[in-house]
Structures are given as C-alpha cells and as structure tokens.
Amino acid sequence: MTGHAGIVTDAGGSVVSISGYRKPLEKISISEWKSRNQNTKIMRYTSSGVASKAGAWAASYYTNYRNVVEYGLINTIGSYEKETYCSKIAWDAYYFGGGVSIDGHGPFWSGIYGPYHFLNEKGFTLAGSWGSNF
C-alpha cells in the first residue's frame, strides 16, 4: 500500500502536495483534500512550533517551486529543487523548515520515505482520521 501525503501549511487549512507523474505541485484547501482523499489519517507533530515552521517551509516551497518541480522518485530525500513526491515534501518541510530529521536519515539518503512511515515516527501522534479503508 503506497498511500498519499500532504502537509498543512497554515491555520487556514491549505495543503501542499503532488499527486503523481505529470501532475503539478499544488496547494489546495482541506475540503478539496477531503473530496479527493476519502481515507485520511491526520498526523500531528508534538511541537507546534516545529510544525508551524514546517508548514511555512511547505508554503514557501509551493510558491518558489510550483512551476519548476516535477514528480519523481529517483532522487535523494533532501534534493527538492527539481523532483519530489508527496511524502518527501512533508519530510523536507520538517527537515529544512522545522530542523527535525523525523526518521534519523539525513538529506542525502536515497531511499523512498512513504506516507505510511509517518504513522510510526517519534514525535508524531494520530490526531484524527476520516474514512476507513487503510
């Protein structure tokens, strides 16, 4: 199961993500996220300050790279300038924005950090969900 991930960027509820090959980096509302993703687990980082910085980084990433970045899986986790994937955006946001390596890997790690990895990471708790097909 691969899943999908996004990161909330602000109190207004915008979500930054990329949904696949030939799809753009996007910033959508939580209501739009809900309509597209009927089964979602909401993970919250224990430090609201770190989470806020990660969200701000994701918002800035969208603004600065939305016309540049493409979907891609063959890259290191911290190289976000040309290629990214959904859960990598959240990993990068916490690493570069929040100053936290949520899984202990550095930015030159070349594995794929999947959406479901967040469920078992130190510092994250399940804050809610909708749907049931997990």
Side-chain angles (χ1 to χ4, degrees):
M1 183 177 331
T2 56
H4 187 47
I7 181 168
V8 175
T9 62
D10 54 60
S14 297
V15 179
V16 168
S17 189
I18 192 167
S19 57
Y21 288 103
R22 292 178 292 284
K23 303 287 185 176
L25 185 64
E26 61 184 358
K27 187 175 178 183
I28 61 174
S29 68
I30 287 180
S31 62
E32 178 66 20
W33 177 272
K34 277 182 98 167
S35 73
R36 293 186 195 177
N37 302 280
Q38 285 82 33
N39 299 293
T40 296
K41 291 189 179 195
I42 304 161
M43 302 303 296
R44 181 169 290 141
Y45 196 73
T46 53
S47 167
S48 60
V50 168
S52 180
K53 289 176 184 176
W57 187 93
S60 177
Y61 180 64
Y62 170 77
T63 299
N64 294 323
Y65 290 93
R66 69 178 176 233
N67 296 319
V68 177
V69 74
E70 295 180 357
Y71 186 90
L73 297 171
I74 310 300
N75 47 62
T76 59
I77 192 83
S79 62
Y80 55 81
E81 299 89 354
K82 294 179 183 176
E83 285 188 347
T84 196
Y85 52 88
C86 63
S87 49
K88 181 180 167 188
I89 295 168
W91 190 97
D92 285 341
Y94 277 92
Y95 188 83
F96 294 109
V100 174
S101 176
I102 56 176
D103 60 355
H105 294 296
F108 301 109
W109 182 62
S110 61
I112 294 175
Y113 189 84
Y116 284 95
H117 285 114
F118 287 99
L119 296 174
N120 300 312
E121 288 297 342
K122 180 180 176 186
F124 284 89
T125 58
L126 182 63
S129 65
W130 61 80
S132 60
N133 186 20
F134 298 108

